[in-house]
Amino acid sequence: MEFFGLDCRFERFDAPLPIHGARVLAGQWSALALAVAEAKGRLVSLWGSDERATGDGFAVSAAYATADGLLWAKLGLDAAKPAYPDISRFFPAAVRMQRAARDLVGIEAEDAADDRPWLRHGAWPADYFPLRFGNTGQERFQAQADAYPFVPVEGDGVHEIPVGPVHAGTIEPGHFRFSVVGEKVLRLEERLGYTHKGIERRFMGMDTDEGARLAGRVSGDSTVAYAWAYAMAVESLAGVKVPERAAWLRALLLERERVANHLGDLGALGNDAAFGFALAQFSRLREDWLRLNRECFGHRLLMDCVRPGGVARDLDADGCAQLRRQVADIAREVAELKDIYEEHAGLQDRLVTTGRATPELAQRLGLTGLAGRASGQAADLRADFPWPPYDGLAVTACTHRNGDVAARVAMRFDECFASLRMIDALLAGLPGGSAREPVLVMRDGAGAGWVEGWRGEVFVALETNAQGRIARCHCHDPSWQNWPVLEHAIIGNIVPDFPLINKSFNLSYSGQDL
C-alpha cells in the first residue's frame, strides 16, 4: 500500500488497528516526514537500532500517526557513519528522541540544532553506546563530569532557580531550571533521564513471554496500556487473533486503569490548589477502586493481567456484579465532587487561565493524549480507529479548547464518566469463551502495538531474531511529546503555580527515560 504518493510500499501488520511498515530510502525518509506534517499528522516515536548482527548495518525508525493509521518507516544507515536527515524541523518533538537515539545507539541526526546528550548524564563515555551490537549493558565506567549546557537567559533582574532532580516527596527525579524576573517565569528548561534503567537493553535476548512482564513495568501507572500494546505487537508478529472475551477483558482493565489515574489526579490537583478536602475524598475513592482490582484481578495496579494471546486471569459472575455495583457508586460520588469543584470560587480562581497551552501551540508541538484533547487536539485511538471491543461502544473523544489547568481537570472528569459508562457496558455484555489463545512467535519477524492509555497513545515496536527471541523492543510513552509543551505552558505564570501546572499534565519520567 502506498501513502502520500511515495514510491515505497507499506505492508499492513496483522494488528486490530491499521498499522503499516516499510523500509525507505533517505529521500523518502524526509519526504514522508514532510508529507505527514503537511497532512496534520503526528510523530508518534523515533528510535534507532543496530542490525549489524544480521549484516544490515544500523537503522533509524519513525512512527507516524496519520488519518489512515500508523506508519512505521525504517531507514537503513551506513555502518561506518550512521547518520540520517533531521526531522525536527517538521516535528519539534523529535529533538529529544533524536538525542536519545544518539546516546543509546550512536546514530546522528544530520544538521540537528541540538546535539546535547539526553540520557547519558556522564554515566558512560561519549563513545560508548549501550544498544550497539557487542555491548552488553553490563559495562561499568568511572562517573564523568556532567556540565550540562543549559540555555542561558540574560537581562536586568533575571535570575535562575534550579529545582531537582531530588524533590521533597516520593516522586520521580527530574531537574527544572527556571529563569525568572521576580516570580514570573520567563523560561523553563527541563533535564530528564535520571530514571534511565536500561529497559531497551534488557529486552534484548528475552523470549516474548518474559518480555511481557518487563513491558508492563515501563511505567507503573500505565501497566495495562504497555502490556496491551506489547501483547498486540507479539500477536501481530505471530498472526494470532485473541479470543473475543479476552479483548473485552483487556478493555475493561484499560478503562479501570484510566479511572484509577483520573481519581488520583483529581485529588492531587485539588490539594495543589490548597483544597485538601478533594485529596481526602478522591484518595478514598481511588483506594476502594484499587482494592477491588486486587480482589478481582490479583493486583492493585493490574500488573501482569494482560499477556500475549489474551489475559492471565478471567472474571467470574460474582466479580462482574461487584464491579458493576462499584461503577454506580463511584459515578454518583464523582458527580457530587464535580459540582463541588465547579462551585468553589477559590479553586476555580487557581485553575482558570493557569498554565495555558493554546490549540495552536498544541498542534505545532505535537501535544497528545489527555493534555492534547484539553487543548483542542481531538485524537483518541479508541474513537479514531476503534478496534474490538471499542468498535461497539460508541466512543467519542472528550475535548476542551482552553488548554489551561481547568480544562485538564474538566477532561479528567469527562473521561472518568465516559470510562465508567464503558466499564458498565463491557461488564453487561461480556461474551463467553476462552480468555487466552496460545502464541507461537515467528523468527526474524516484526510487529507493532498501539493503544490509547490514560495519558495518551502508547506504542510498542517489536522485532525478533533468528532464534525467535527479542532482537529489539522499543516502547514509547506520550510524555516524550508532552514534556516540551510544559516548558511553554509555564511561561508568564508564577513559580508557585508550577506544581499545579506540572500535576495537571502529570507526565511520566520513567516511561520516557527507559
Side-chain angles (χ1 to χ4, degrees):
M1 188 173 180
E2 291 185 1
F3 293 91
F4 303 110
L6 297 178
D7 186 23
C8 59
R9 187 163 186 81
F10 283 83
E11 299 294 336
R12 177 161 179 168
F13 288 100
D14 192 5
L17 286 82
I19 304 175
H20 304 80
R23 279 194 170 267
V24 299
L25 303 175
Q28 295 167 334
W29 170 267
S30 298
L32 178 61
L34 174 60
V36 171
E38 289 179 340
K40 305 300 182 186
R42 309 188 308 279
L43 173 68
V44 174
S45 187
L46 182 148
W47 68 101
S49 52
D50 182 352
E51 301 180 344
R52 289 177 296 171
T54 59
D56 290 333
F58 294 91
V60 62
S61 293
Y64 299 103
T66 74
D68 297 308
L70 185 134
L71 306 182
W72 172 2
K74 178 185 280 193
L75 171 65
L77 307 177
D78 180 59
K81 188 180 179 183
Y84 59 96
D86 170 32
I87 62 169
S88 65
R89 62 187 185 277
F90 308 120
F91 300 101
V95 171
R96 292 179 180 179
M97 301 180 206
Q98 292 177 166
R99 291 165 63 187
R102 181 176 182 268
D103 287 349
L104 296 175
V105 190
I107 60 175
E108 300 272 356
E110 295 170 333
D111 302 319
D114 190 346
D115 61 357
R116 293 174 295 172
W118 181 246
L119 294 175
R120 188 159 53 85
H121 283 272
W124 60 83
D127 60 353
Y128 170 82
F129 307 103
L131 299 189
R132 281 200 173 183
F133 176 69
N135 293 334
T136 66
Q138 300 298 314
E139 293 83 1
R140 294 292 179 266
F141 305 98
Q142 286 290 110
Q144 300 177 342
D146 187 27
Y148 187 78
F150 286 95
V151 176
V153 177
E154 299 177 346
D156 291 340
V158 176
H159 64 283
E160 288 186 342
I161 304 175
V163 178
V166 178
H167 300 283
T170 53
I171 61 176
E172 294 179 288
H175 182 88
F176 302 95
R177 184 69 59 96
F178 296 90
S179 297
V180 302
V181 172
E183 284 198 330
K184 183 170 286 189
V185 178
L186 299 180
R187 177 185 171 86
L188 166 64
E189 186 171 1
E190 304 155 349
R191 192 181 184 202
L192 307 177
Y194 294 94
T195 63
H196 176 65
K197 303 166 291 297
I199 284 180
E200 293 190 304
R201 175 74 245 182
R202 183 69 185 88
F203 271 118
M204 293 180 177
M206 281 185 165
D207 63 51
T208 53
D209 201 52
E210 196 181 8
R213 297 190 72 247
L214 182 57
R217 287 158 175 77
V218 168
S219 186
D221 60 10
S222 300
T223 182
V224 176
Y226 274 100
W228 193 352
Y230 176 88
M232 189 185 295
V234 173
E235 292 149 9
S236 70
L237 187 154
V240 169
K241 181 176 174 59
V242 300
E244 184 182 19
R245 183 176 179 85
W248 283 60
L249 287 169
R250 284 178 174 183
L252 171 64
L253 294 166
L254 186 66
E255 298 311 315
R256 285 194 66 86
E257 178 171 85
R258 195 181 314 276
V259 171
N261 280 286
H262 289 344
L263 292 176
D265 284 354
L266 286 167
L269 283 161
N271 192 59
D272 281 347
F275 189 39
F277 169 81
L279 179 63
Q281 297 303 315
F282 279 108
S283 295
R284 173 179 60 83
L285 296 179
R286 182 174 184 270
E287 179 61 24
D288 289 344
W289 194 259
L290 298 182
R291 287 183 182 184
L292 194 53
N293 278 351
R294 169 79 181 188
E295 184 177 340
C296 292
F297 301 105
H299 197 288
R300 287 166 59 88
L301 300 181
L302 306 174
M303 267 184 189
D304 300 324
C305 290
V306 176
R307 306 289 289 182
V311 294
R313 184 161 172 168
D314 208 339
L315 186 65
D316 60 21
D318 183 58
C320 284
Q322 288 187 75
L323 293 171
R324 293 194 75 183
R325 285 195 297 271
Q326 187 184 55
V327 163
D329 292 342
I330 293 285
R332 184 182 63 255
E333 293 209 50
V334 172
E336 292 174 0
L337 289 166
K338 182 175 185 286
D339 290 341
I340 292 172
Y341 264 57
E342 291 178 346
E343 293 169 6
H344 194 296
L347 179 62
Q348 291 301 315
D349 184 61
R350 289 292 309 278
L351 305 183
V352 176
T353 73
T354 302
R356 189 158 188 249
T358 65
E360 294 74 24
L361 177 71
Q363 196 280 323
R364 187 170 74 251
L365 296 186
L367 187 64
T368 188
L370 178 145
R373 291 190 288 276
S375 294
Q377 311 306 300
D380 185 328
L381 298 180
R382 299 170 300 163
D384 299 339
F385 306 105
W387 70 101
Y390 289 110
D391 54 352
L393 295 177
V395 182
T396 302
C398 305
T399 58
H400 289 267
R401 289 192 60 82
N402 288 343
D404 54 7
V405 174
R408 292 186 283 276
V409 167
M411 277 295 306
R412 285 175 167 88
F413 276 114
D414 291 350
E415 291 202 351
C416 195
F417 291 129
S419 290
L420 290 170
R421 176 188 63 79
M422 281 187 268
I423 289 169
D424 191 63
L426 288 163
L427 290 167
L430 187 63
S434 169
R436 195 169 182 188
E437 187 76 16
V439 177
L440 183 62
V441 177
M442 279 178 51
R443 300 177 180 185
D444 292 321
W450 196 26
V451 170
E452 188 70 37
W454 73 269
R455 190 178 274 119
E457 55 194 349
V458 169
F459 172 71
V460 172
L462 177 68
E463 296 176 275
T464 56
N465 59 22
Q467 290 74 45
R469 302 182 78 83
I470 297 174
R472 183 78 169 93
C473 182
H474 173 71
C475 299
H476 179 87
D477 194 274
S479 300
W480 279 100
Q481 276 84 350
N482 294 359
W483 274 116
V485 183
L486 176 61
E487 293 180 336
H488 291 261
I490 185 64
I491 293 174
N493 290 263
I494 60 174
V495 174
D497 274 341
F498 177 70
L500 181 63
I501 297 169
N502 188 19
K503 186 62 183 178
S504 73
F505 282 86
N506 194 7
L507 305 176
S508 175
Y509 299 77
S510 182
Q512 77 111 57
D513 288 350
L514 295 178

